[in-house]
Amino acid sequence: MTIKRNIPKQFQTSDGADIRIGLALGSGSARGWSHIGVIQELIKMGIEPGIVTGTSIGAFVGAVYANNQIDLLEDWTRSLTWKEMINYIELSVIGGGFIKTDKLFKFVRNFMDRETIESLPRHFATVATELYTGREIWLQKGKLLDAIHASTALPGIIAPVKLNGQWLVDGGLSNPVPVSLCRALGAKVVIAVNLNGDIVGKHTRKQTLSIENTQKQRGNDESSLLNRASALFNNNLHKQKDILLSQLLGDNLDSPGMFEVIASSVNIMQDRITRSRMAGDPPDVTLSPSLSQLGLMEFDKADIAIEEGRACVRQMRPALERLMKNL
């Protein structure tokens, strides 16, 4: 049932969203597809935040929502296969990260028909981290794709981005769930989505097993993730690619790959930072989808993530209804 709400004109965005409501979307790699389900279920309830902030994957999904393209993103994520995802990745041995993002962000542009943050119909901002000082950087204006790129630049994996004379990396290093940024943009109430609550110790190792099982279910004749990915990577790295992929992905269950080491470490750090930041600046409602079953790179399992996002909102409906009554 939809919550009936009359939004005074002065609190509406150009497309009718409520600027008194802020939505802070947290970091979490593939688990971030649950943000899609959260947003869609909130809209179904009659709650349309006019202010949205995001970190890392939350920056991407948040920008798509602020651009009114969330249904388009859902369609694409639900159809995404592991093989298609690998096609968007190119390895590089230079530039501060193992993954080149030219092809990936060329595709991301499909969801961004607006060039700048200021041109979006809803208020949007994202978080990045200054590489040399550790300062939290709020990106509230300028080129939209550059801001998303900076916020998603996972150290060691995706190269830092230079903006306004600063080298910027993943915003999850300083503010994984940007509640404070929502409030700074004027939100009276803030709904936060925390993807880091149950992930420590439950990571890529489980992902490796699930990928192998999925291969059999899909009738994939290739014998391992390493072989599947290797066949699709840049030919310029022909001699080095197997070695690099082995290091990145881990070539057996006894040896963690670089992705697993980096991501597990970042997960531990972000969990601790999230707890600290949200204790000092708590949101009005926290949504915490249960996503420990999903690995860092399982972007091809959007169905699971999206449905868990929806379920999380339904579970918190009483708290959300109370929140809306107080506006």
Side-chain angles (χ1 to χ4, degrees):
M1 185 175 66
T2 301
I3 299 172
K4 293 183 179 180
R5 302 181 60 242
N6 294 317
I7 306 171
K9 285 281 188 181
Q10 66 267 31
F11 297 125
Q12 293 184 28
T13 62
S14 60
D15 57 354
D18 193 336
I19 59 173
R20 295 172 297 177
I21 305 173
L23 180 64
L25 303 177
S27 58
S29 297
R31 300 179 182 96
W33 293 152
S34 65
H35 290 319
I36 298 171
V38 166
I39 291 168
Q40 291 178 324
E41 195 66 21
L42 286 173
I43 293 172
K44 185 178 178 181
M45 289 175 60
I47 301 172
E48 294 199 45
I51 294 174
V52 58
T53 63
T55 297
S56 199
I57 187 69
F60 172 46
V61 178
V64 174
Y65 164 66
N67 196 39
N68 286 318
Q69 299 286 344
I70 199 70
D71 291 337
L72 180 64
L73 180 61
E74 181 199 13
D75 291 341
W76 175 74
T77 58
R78 285 188 184 272
S79 66
L80 181 66
T81 66
W82 177 257
K83 190 172 183 178
E84 288 171 335
M85 190 195 79
I86 291 294
N87 272 324
Y88 292 115
I89 299 174
E90 297 176 281
L91 286 185
S92 173
V93 294
I94 58 175
F98 274 103
I99 294 178
K100 292 173 62 177
T101 55
D102 297 353
K103 192 185 292 186
L104 176 62
F105 279 92
K106 185 177 180 180
F107 174 78
V108 167
R109 189 178 293 276
N110 292 331
F111 302 99
M112 308 294 170
D113 58 0
R114 300 170 193 266
E115 290 289 327
T116 64
I117 294 173
E118 302 95 305
S119 64
L120 292 168
R122 302 184 183 195
H123 301 307
F124 172 76
T126 186
V127 177
T129 304
E130 210 282 319
L131 179 63
Y132 294 113
T133 66
R135 288 178 55 228
E136 176 183 344
I137 304 297
W138 291 353
L139 301 173
Q140 305 174 65
K141 59 178 65 175
K143 292 185 177 180
L144 182 58
L145 276 182
D146 287 348
I148 296 170
H149 192 172
S151 188
T152 57
L154 184 66
I157 304 298
I158 297 176
V161 177
K162 192 170 188 178
L163 282 180
N164 303 319
Q166 298 172 305
W167 284 104
L168 304 180
V169 293
D170 198 306
L173 301 178
S174 55
N175 194 351
V177 186
V179 174
S180 55
L181 181 51
C182 260
R183 297 202 189 282
L185 291 177
K188 182 178 179 181
V189 299
V190 177
I191 302 167
V193 186
N194 177 20
L195 307 180
N196 299 320
D198 63 348
I199 59 176
V200 174
K202 303 173 182 178
H203 188 2
T204 323
R205 189 50 38 124
K206 192 168 184 178
Q207 171 197 345
T208 304
L209 291 170
S210 67
I211 289 171
E212 291 174 350
N213 291 336
T214 302
Q215 283 180 299
K216 295 176 182 178
Q217 294 170 3
R218 294 175 181 173
N220 193 327
D221 293 329
E222 294 168 317
S223 60
S224 69
L225 170 62
L226 176 60
N227 291 335
R228 286 192 292 152
S230 177
L232 295 166
F233 278 119
N234 196 326
N235 289 332
N236 292 334
L237 294 172
H238 180 72
K239 293 182 180 179
Q240 296 89 1
K241 65 182 179 182
D242 286 346
I243 297 173
L244 286 171
L245 283 167
S246 178
Q247 292 174 341
L248 284 171
L249 302 174
D251 55 5
N252 60 69
L253 293 180
D254 297 321
S255 170
M258 192 174 296
F259 272 125
E260 180 172 359
V261 172
I262 293 175
S264 292
S265 301
V266 170
N267 282 341
I268 293 168
M269 177 195 64
Q270 289 188 356
D271 177 57
R272 302 300 186 265
I273 295 172
T274 300
R275 291 169 189 263
S276 176
R277 294 293 300 255
M278 292 179 70
D281 189 8
D284 296 276
V285 172
T286 301
L287 304 175
S288 300
S290 179
L291 299 164
S292 62
Q293 71 273 30
L294 292 182
L296 172 80
M297 295 295 289
E298 290 184 311
F299 288 96
D300 58 326
K301 294 191 175 181
D303 288 348
I304 296 172
I306 291 171
E307 293 309 316
E308 180 55 39
R310 289 181 179 276
C312 182
V313 174
R314 290 194 293 268
Q315 185 179 19
M316 294 296 292
R317 184 183 179 101
L320 291 165
E321 289 178 336
R322 288 194 297 271
L323 184 65
M324 294 304 103
K325 287 178 181 177
N326 292 330
L327 278 178

